[in-house]
């Protein structure tokens, strides 16, 4: 399958990924109405471009993941029994816009182009975050609140600040996304995407190494325990994938069994030293209030266990049962801080099963995409390619994050999950990897601009 490589497609792909992962940046900068106008404009641009380029033809429903189609259908049908139909309509619209953008990424880009677009978006977030924190620390020298929000006459919780201007005190820094965990996760994804592109020689070495160092520094300054855990697991998965490539098809089952055994051993070790590990990262035994939130969600979900309360994506704090469901230190939380609990709460066991099958199916296809031998356009085997590791590594990071955050269901998490899930499915029977972005690189010249 061939893909357009024009400047418009490239720029729109980068903007889509940037906006999905830096939504709080736009909301803090432009306010909610400005953000909604921007999202509407991007969604319209995606729809128009897909129509003008004839990209809709690549989305044959018979080749799309059935579990995704069923899950999306259940989201819409949940309007019939939703306890908050107005919020469900808003949630469906938000989910539809994000899904459309994910489909665009999947059908408008080959795997190399998709990795390049993602890396450019992630490094842009990192670069702007460092610049933002520098300006706040040098010139402002005090915490910065979001623009277009009136906090007069009320005590503002620390979580509401855009940045605490703590760069020169060792952090934790929050960057343009206004949250250290989100910024750290972007740094992790930058490590993955820039790393595979550098290994594939699709980017210049010096700028790529500079971005990798920047990502490591940002990870250190955010001090996010959850992302550090995701980094360790993702690094371990990289080792497993490389080992599976090396041993060949006949021994990959042994690699899988050994990996499962090591995972069980790791869980046991972590459980035995749980309090000590949390102390190292300055966390309490309740994971900064997450345990209380999980207990509240489990109790509420148990009241409607089969089909849930109705889809809403982000919680809507002005309607029941979300008003007062999870409040800590004056902050009302808009998620269950666990994607799986959130799906159960909103769509019940039926939705949870569909979601699990979609996620596991996407990861399974990404695993084989990473370890199998790729074929060129004529069906000839190619050497193992570094860029084919990216989908499995990104999904691994997303899955680890999904245990303590619900971001897999919204914005950037859902965008990448659907893009990878759909792309790995619709190309499953094709001859293999589209290498347009690799074949056009001059061998004797620098291979590409930095991400």
């Amino acid at each position: 399958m061939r893909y357009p490589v024009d400047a418009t497609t490239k720029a729109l792909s980068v903007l889509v990924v940037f906006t999905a992962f830096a939504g709080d940046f736009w909301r803090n900068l432009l306010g909610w109405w400005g953000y909604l106008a921007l999202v509407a404009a991007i969604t319209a641009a995606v729809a128009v471009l897909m129509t003008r380029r004839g990209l809709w033809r690549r989305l044959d429903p018979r080749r799309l993941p059935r579990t995704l189609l069923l899950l999306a259908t259940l989201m819409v049908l949940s309007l019939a029994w939703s306890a908050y139909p107005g919020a469900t309509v808003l949630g469906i619209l938000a989910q539809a816009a994000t899904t459309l953008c994910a489909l665009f990424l999947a059908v408008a880009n080959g795997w190399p182009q998709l990795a390049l677009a993602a890396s450019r978006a992630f490094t842009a977030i990192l670069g702007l975050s460092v610049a933002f924190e520098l300006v706040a620390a040098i010139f402002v020298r005090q915490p910065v609140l979001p623009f277009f929000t009136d906090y007069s006459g009320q005590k503002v919780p620390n979580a509401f600040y855009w940045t605490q201007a703590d760069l020169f005190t060792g952090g934790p820094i929050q960057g343009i996304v206004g949250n250290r965990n989100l910024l750290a996760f972007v740094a992790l994804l930058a490590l993955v995407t820039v790393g595979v592109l550098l290994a594939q020689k699709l980017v210049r070495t010096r700028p790529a190494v500079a971005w990798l160092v920047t990502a490591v520094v940002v990870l250190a300054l955010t001090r996010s325990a959850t992302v550090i855990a995701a980094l360790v697991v993702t690094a371990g998965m990289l080792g497993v994938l490389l080992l599976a490539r090396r041993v060949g098809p006949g021994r990959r089952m042994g690699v899988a069994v050994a990996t499962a055994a090591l995972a069980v051993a790791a869980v046991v070790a972590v459980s035995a030293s749980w309090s000590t590990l949390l102390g190292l990262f300055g966390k309490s035994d309740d994971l900064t209030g997450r345990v209380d939130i999980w207990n509240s969600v489990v109790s509420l979900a148990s009241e409607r266990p089969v089909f849930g309360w109705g889809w809403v994506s982000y919680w809507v704090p002005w309607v029941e049962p979300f008003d007062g469901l999870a409040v800590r230190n004056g902050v009302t939380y808009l998620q269950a801080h666990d994607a799986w609990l959130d799906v159960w709460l909103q769509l019940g066991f039926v939705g949870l099963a569909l979601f699990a099958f979609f996620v596991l199916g996407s990861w399974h296809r990404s695993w084989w995409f990473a370890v199998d031998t790729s074929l060129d356009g004529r069906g000839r085997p190619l050497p193992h390619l570094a860029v084919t590791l990216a989908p499995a590594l990104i999904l691994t990071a997303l899955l680890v994050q999904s245990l303590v955050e619900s971001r897999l269901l919204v914005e950037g998490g859902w965008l990448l999950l659907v893009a990878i899930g759909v792309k790995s499915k619709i190309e499953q029977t094709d001859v293999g990897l589209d290498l347009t972005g690799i074949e056009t690189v001059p061998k004797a010249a620098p291979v590409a601009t930095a991400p």
Side-chain angles (χ1 to χ4, degrees), residues 109-184:
N109 297 277
W111 287 110
Q113 292 83 11
L114 182 55
L116 279 166
S119 70
R120 286 168 178 157
F122 297 145
T123 53
I125 293 174
L126 294 184
L128 289 173
S129 293
V130 172
F132 177 61
E133 292 288 351
L134 277 171
V135 170
I138 296 175
F139 300 104
V140 182
R141 298 182 183 180
Q142 64 181 4
V144 178
L145 285 168
F147 300 160
F148 301 105
T149 305
D150 184 13
Y151 292 105
S152 59
Q154 59 179 303
K155 182 179 180 180
V156 182
N158 289 334
F160 286 9
Y161 283 95
W162 195 348
T163 177
Q164 296 289 335
D166 283 336
L167 178 62
F168 295 149
T169 61
I173 63 172
Q174 300 168 215
I176 62 170
V177 296
N179 183 292
R180 65 171 178 169
N181 291 321
L182 297 183
L183 181 60

Side-chain angles (χ1 to χ4, degrees), residues 22-23 67 74 78 120 139 284 290 341 364-365 416 441 443:
T67 48
L74 185 63
S78 71
R120 286 168 178 157
F139 300 104
S284 60
R290 281 180 171 85
L341 284 179
H364 179 262
R365 291 190 298 272
L416 290 185
V441 171
K443 295 182 178 180

